[in-house]
Amino acid sequence: MSEFGIVIHGGAGIILKEKMTPELEAGFHAGLTDSLDSGYEILKSGGSSLDAVHRAVNVMEENPLFNTGRGSVFTYDGGHAMDAAIMDGKTLKAGAVAGVQHIKFPITLARLVMEKTPHLLLAGAGAEEFAQAHGMELAPDEYFHTRRRWEQLLEAKAKAGETEFPKEPKSLGTVGAVALDKAGNLAAATSTGGMSNSRYGRIGDSPIIGAGTYANNLTCAVSTTGHGEYFMRALTAYDLSALMEYRGMSLSEAADDVIFKKLASLGGTGGLVAIDRQGNFVMPFNTPGMYRGHYLAAGKPETTIYKE
Amino acid sequence: MSEFGIVIHGGAGIILKEKMTPELEAGFHAGLTDSLDSGYEILKSGGSSLDAVHRAVNVMEENPLFNTGRGSVFTYDGGHAMDAAIMDGKTLKAGAVAGVQHIKFPITLARLVMEKTPHLLLAGAGAEEFAQAHGMELAPDEYFHTRRRWEQLLEAKAKAGETEFPKEPKSLGTVGAVALDKAGNLAAATSTGGMSNSRYGRIGDSPIIGAGTYANNLTCAVSTTGHGEYFMRALTAYDLSALMEYRGMSLSEAADDVIFKKLASLGGTGGLVAIDRQGNFVMPFNTPGMYRGHYLAAGKPETTIYKE
């Protein structure tokens, strides 16, 4: 229980200590802490949970370590396809973008969709056109070209060989944040660079309200990460909320149910972060690791990578 | 209660008898009946609910009266942006496409996504590339050019004037079908040409599993039609299922709750068709009309347009 706070993730997957370098590990801890600090600062000074999750995600979007914004993985065609969604638990308003390139801060564009259009989801070139029409500068391809991601694409292509679709990637990078503010409002935001070597305009769960992102002041705020197709079939984010609202489960009971029972029964892997109106939070995952952190009122920022 | 059956819709909106011609009215009844007959035939001969909803939607996709496939409305740019989704209540597998052009039968492409890829949702040019890679012929723009829809675009543009986004259209055309087969399996399918004069790659609720389309043998199969953004925020199709599963509501109680309470409280307009495992069905809507019909075992095809 806490008066306010923020909980974030930077992706779940086969993240193993023996495969990690000390530098990379330190980088992830620092990146998560930066994100937590920036969101917490807003909450502490009385700002909204919407502003806090927006800012916390922006910080990860500009950090090349995370799979979104600058550090987005490459698609099969050598381009990018970023997805993002944001939702306000007070109004149930939401905005999302899917399959966008040249956008430094996809979550900022998702928020623009929420606030400046009668729509919820804009995709592809149309979403980029909307961004420009509203004064957002497009970034050149080079901004998103990181050596680590390019090598991951080559590796994924080699592994896929002649098969049409990429193998399930080891690390399913997505970033997300959920927050409770001093006014008691909840918000959630999720942003991703998608799946390395993906093709045919594949869209995952991140920009889908109810699958990868959901917030409702009646229950909780949720952001997921993992093998998106399973979260889309299970409506994981909304299901967590529905179990609380309709079954009277606690946040922790509902989160365990959706990750360890429902997602697992479909064969899906991943995790989520969620916070409720009382400041309880959870970070369950069924993969070896999940980059994650939390910073609650009167506490300090804590970040973790592997299973405890 | 019925051993098997199919329920369909062809869109909800401000459909008023005084604005309708006898020819158009007869055309809609005939189109709905054709769709029901084709789906029923499959169910009666022991075919799957998945095949039945697929076929029933195909019949409406090739009928220029309905806003999908051949009769799709035009986007702001004078193109098309069709969305479709199909879900199998037995396996919870689903497939969807968003923002596609040149596809005569969007629901057939959605099913191809479900059956031939590890993905759930493909969008835009990538989805068309996938269609071609799997032997689906693309149709030229002329196939989708109907005079009625072109005039609707001009009318919508005149009404919108200099404003950036189109006014809420009078008729929110989408088609959908839900079915129960003799084996007790449920399936749902939804297909739409989207919103007349829409721009910036807007995607509505039809291709979003849990918003516009959902099927689960535990509960029911649902297809919605209406102002999509509200269905996306409310997760209407999955919410109906969750109310049955978690609250023990009947299909009819749950359907009334999601359309007349929840959707209405957000200010949304539209309706849905749904069928449960016992062959109970509902067709609620909060607009003046909804093109709809049902054909249950031992019954006959019945079609309706206005409020009773």
Side-chain angles (χ1 to χ4, degrees):
Chain A
M1 305 263 289
S2 199
E3 188 204 348
F4 64 91
I6 182 163
V7 190
I8 64 170
H9 69 77
I14 305 177
I15 305 162
L16 299 170
K17 197 166 175 62
E18 56 268 30
K19 296 271 175 104
M20 188 77 87
T21 65
E23 292 73 25
L24 207 52
E25 204 173 272
F28 275 112
H29 280 295
L32 291 167
T33 304
D34 283 351
S35 169
L36 285 171
D37 283 343
S38 66
Y40 185 88
E41 197 51 50
I42 289 170
L43 297 171
K44 193 184 164 195
S45 62
S48 72
S49 51
L50 205 58
D51 285 342
V53 296
H54 182 172
R55 179 74 193 126
V57 167
N58 278 166
V59 168
M60 291 188 277
E61 287 173 331
E62 64 186 355
N63 184 333
L65 280 181
F66 299 102
N67 176 23
T68 180
R70 181 129 199 231
S72 290
V73 297
F74 287 91
T75 61
Y76 179 85
D77 300 322
H80 295 92
M82 297 178 280
D83 304 329
I86 190 163
M87 186 163 186
D88 179 353
K90 184 183 176 188
T91 59
L92 300 184
K93 285 193 175 168
V97 292
V100 296
Q101 302 195 62
H102 312 117
I103 304 293
K104 282 187 179 182
F105 299 106
I107 203 69
T108 302
L109 185 56
R111 187 163 180 187
L112 208 60
V113 172
M114 176 170 85
E115 293 180 345
K116 301 291 184 195
T117 83
H119 302 317
L120 193 150
L121 174 58
L122 303 182
E128 288 175 45
E129 196 193 323
F130 167 75
Q132 286 188 289
H134 286 262
M136 195 179 268
E137 221 174 286
L138 298 192
D141 286 331
E142 297 76 53
Y143 175 80
F144 303 94
H145 195 100
T146 60
R147 190 174 139 186
R148 178 163 156 260
R149 296 305 188 192
W150 186 252
E151 285 169 359
Q152 282 177 358
L153 174 66
L154 299 182
E155 196 189 314
K157 278 189 184 283
K159 227 174 118 184
E162 296 297 307
T163 61
E164 189 178 16
F165 295 98
K167 305 271 183 241
E168 185 176 342
K170 274 189 229 165
S171 182
L172 302 147
T174 295
V175 311
V178 295
L180 167 69
D181 62 30
K182 289 182 177 176
N185 292 315
L186 295 166
T190 310
S191 181
T192 185
M195 198 180 266
S196 192
N197 197 29
S198 80
R199 64 194 292 196
Y200 296 143
R202 178 252 183 191
I203 295 175
D205 65 318
S206 301
I208 308 299
I209 294 303
T213 307
Y214 190 71
N216 187 334
N217 275 3
L218 283 180
T219 52
C220 60
V222 190
S223 172
T224 77
T225 170
H227 199 144
E229 279 75 5
Y230 295 94
F231 291 80
M232 294 165 89
R233 290 163 61 195
L235 281 305
T236 304
Y238 180 67
D239 198 35
L240 201 171
S241 170
L243 285 168
M244 292 176 70
E245 186 179 355
Y246 300 150
R247 277 263 169 94
M249 283 189 186
S250 70
L251 179 72
S252 164
E253 289 168 337
D256 283 354
D257 193 275
V258 301
I259 294 296
F260 299 115
K261 288 188 192 166
K262 290 190 166 174
L263 190 69
S265 77
L266 290 175
T269 54
L272 60 80
V273 295
I275 190 166
D276 70 12
R277 196 95 192 254
Q278 285 73 47
N280 301 301
F281 71 94
V282 290
M283 310 185 293
F285 56 97
N286 69 2
T287 47
M290 179 168 84
Y291 303 108
R292 61 200 187 278
H294 55 90
Y295 195 173
L296 283 288
K300 56 184 178 55
E302 292 184 41
T303 60
T304 325
I305 298 178
Y306 315 105
K307 276 206 174 127
E308 297 288 74
Chain B
M1 305 265 287
S2 199
E3 188 204 347
F4 64 91
I6 184 163
V7 190
I8 62 171
H9 68 78
I14 304 176
I15 306 163
L16 299 170
K17 196 166 176 61
E18 56 268 31
K19 295 269 174 103
M20 190 76 88
T21 64
E23 292 72 26
L24 207 52
E25 203 172 273
F28 275 112
H29 281 293
L32 290 167
T33 304
D34 283 350
S35 168
L36 285 171
D37 283 343
S38 66
Y40 184 89
E41 197 51 50
I42 289 170
L43 297 171
K44 193 184 163 195
S45 60
S48 72
S49 52
L50 205 58
D51 285 341
V53 296
H54 181 172
R55 179 75 193 125
V57 167
N58 277 166
V59 168
M60 290 187 277
E61 286 174 331
E62 64 186 353
N63 184 332
L65 281 181
F66 298 102
N67 177 23
T68 180
R70 179 130 200 230
S72 290
V73 297
F74 288 90
T75 60
Y76 180 86
D77 301 321
H80 295 91
M82 297 178 281
D83 304 329
I86 190 163
M87 186 163 185
D88 179 353
K90 184 183 177 186
T91 60
L92 300 183
K93 286 195 174 167
V97 291
V100 297
Q101 303 195 64
H102 312 117
I103 304 293
K104 282 187 179 183
F105 299 106
I107 202 71
T108 302
L109 184 56
R111 187 163 179 186
L112 210 59
V113 173
M114 176 171 85
E115 294 179 345
K116 301 289 182 195
T117 83
H119 301 318
L120 193 151
L121 174 57
L122 302 182
E128 288 175 45
E129 196 193 322
F130 167 75
Q132 285 188 291
H134 286 262
M136 195 179 268
E137 220 174 286
L138 298 192
D141 286 332
E142 298 76 55
Y143 175 80
F144 303 93
H145 195 102
T146 60
R147 189 174 139 188
R148 178 164 156 259
R149 297 304 188 193
W150 186 252
E151 284 168 0
Q152 282 177 358
L153 175 66
L154 300 182
E155 198 189 314
K157 278 188 183 282
K159 228 174 115 184
E162 297 297 304
T163 62
E164 188 178 15
F165 295 98
K167 304 272 184 239
E168 187 177 343
K170 274 189 226 165
S171 183
L172 302 147
T174 296
V175 311
V178 294
L180 167 70
D181 63 30
K182 288 182 176 176
N185 292 315
L186 295 167
T190 310
S191 180
T192 185
M195 198 180 267
S196 192
N197 198 29
S198 79
R199 65 194 292 195
Y200 296 142
R202 178 251 183 194
I203 295 174
D205 65 319
S206 300
I208 308 298
I209 294 302
T213 307
Y214 189 71
N216 188 333
N217 275 3
L218 283 180
T219 51
C220 60
V222 190
S223 172
T224 76
T225 170
H227 199 146
E229 279 75 5
Y230 295 95
F231 290 80
M232 295 165 89
R233 290 164 60 194
L235 282 304
T236 304
Y238 180 68
D239 198 36
L240 201 170
S241 170
L243 286 168
M244 292 176 71
E245 186 179 354
Y246 300 150
R247 277 262 169 94
M249 283 189 186
S250 70
L251 179 74
S252 164
E253 289 167 337
D256 284 355
D257 193 275
V258 300
I259 294 296
F260 300 115
K261 288 188 194 166
K262 290 191 169 175
L263 189 70
S265 77
L266 291 175
T269 54
L272 60 81
V273 295
I275 190 166
D276 70 14
R277 196 98 194 254
Q278 285 73 47
N280 301 301
F281 71 95
V282 289
M283 309 185 292
F285 55 98
N286 69 2
T287 47
M290 179 168 84
Y291 303 108
R292 61 202 187 277
H294 55 91
Y295 195 173
L296 283 287
K300 56 184 178 52
E302 291 183 42
T303 59
T304 325
I305 298 178
Y306 315 105
K307 277 208 173 123
E308 297 288 70

